[in-house]
Amino acid sequence: MKFISFWYDCNPQKSRYYETCYLKLKNQLEYLGYEYSIDNVQIDNPNYKTLNFHKPSFIEQKIKQLNDSVIWIDIDCSFIKPVDELKDLNCDIGFFMRNKEYDIGRWYYDIGTPHACLMFFNNTQKSLDFIQPWKDVCEKSKLDPSVRETEHAYLIDYYRNNDNSKYNICKLENYCTSLPQELETHKIYVGISQAGINYDKRYRDWE
């Protein structure tokens, strides 16, 4: 099992935020003894939305390239506690679920929806089968200026509307948080980049 992620700074002369996040995450992974494969990606028309939409394609690519199970972790996440137990996951897909409601204006995230910042995918055909439709809609949408969601909203829609009984899905709780009051009870701190904040502000009232 390997942790995977990617990073890209659209304007490194102005900000090296994601490079800094990469170095921090890399140091944490090495300190904890976890194998990883993290790339500085090069894609067409890089911006906050297109980079997010690249996530499912990258995950699929890494499963095939590494011939191993993978855990996607957003580059601006950080470890609060070790997650050694994830090495023993015996399922096609591991989703780290919300156990409370979040209303952030543009999206409404409710109980039982998966985070997109941390995801386990085993090296199985069923994992790849799950990723394919998510990847397809992201690739189709990333250059469409009328699309305002990111890969996270599509993952939740697909998870809700898909027949998931064909997959062996582990549902894990109390892993991901961005709330200071939950740091004692959770294991991964979810980073919130300024680019993400700006993107959310831009479309906060679109509905």
Side-chain angles (χ1 to χ4, degrees), residues 119-148:
M119 298 173 285
F120 168 84
F121 291 97
N122 208 339
N123 183 21
T124 66
Q125 187 58 49
K126 287 186 177 180
S127 285
L128 296 172
D129 290 345
F130 183 93
I131 293 169
Q132 187 66 50
W134 180 36
K135 182 186 82 168
D136 289 345
V137 71
C138 287
E139 290 298 310
K140 181 179 179 181
S141 301
K142 68 181 180 181
L143 298 180
D144 184 344
S146 69
V147 173
R148 294 172 177 177

Side-chain angles (χ1 to χ4, degrees), residues 138-177:
C138 287
E139 290 298 310
K140 181 179 179 181
S141 301
K142 68 181 180 181
L143 298 180
D144 184 344
S146 69
V147 173
R148 294 172 177 177
E149 293 84 356
T150 62
E151 93 297 346
H152 201 165
Y154 284 128
L155 174 67
I156 290 173
D157 286 346
Y158 179 49
Y159 176 82
R160 282 173 169 162
N161 300 321
N162 189 44
D163 176 12
N164 293 317
S165 62
K166 68 184 81 172
Y167 309 107
N168 181 12
I169 296 179
C170 297
K171 299 178 183 179
L172 303 107
E173 296 184 351
N174 297 326
Y175 273 84
C176 305
T177 186

Side-chain angles (χ1 to χ4, degrees), residues 52-69:
N52 275 276
F53 277 140
H54 184 58
K55 187 183 293 185
S57 296
F58 183 84
I59 294 170
E60 179 190 59
Q61 169 195 329
K62 282 296 181 181
I63 292 173
K64 294 178 178 179
Q65 173 189 329
L66 300 171
N67 193 29
D68 199 354
S69 59

Side-chain angles (χ1 to χ4, degrees), residues 94-113:
F95 282 135
F96 300 84
M97 314 299 286
R98 291 181 178 77
N99 55 11
K100 62 175 60 179
E101 298 176 349
Y102 292 83
D103 185 352
I104 62 170
R106 186 159 55 97
W107 297 312
Y108 177 74
Y109 294 152
D110 62 10
I111 295 171
T113 58

Side-chain angles (χ1 to χ4, degrees), residues 1-5 25-26 28-38 66 68-73 79 83-84 87:
M1 182 194 78
K2 294 180 176 63
F3 283 86
I4 62 169
S5 193
L25 182 61
K26 173 179 176 290
Q28 286 191 317
L29 289 164
E30 291 177 352
Y31 176 79
L32 293 167
Y34 300 151
E35 294 186 78
Y36 64 90
S37 180
I38 300 176
L66 300 171
D68 199 354
S69 59
V70 301
I71 293 183
W72 167 270
I73 182 169
F79 289 88
V83 291
D84 295 353
K87 296 177 181 179

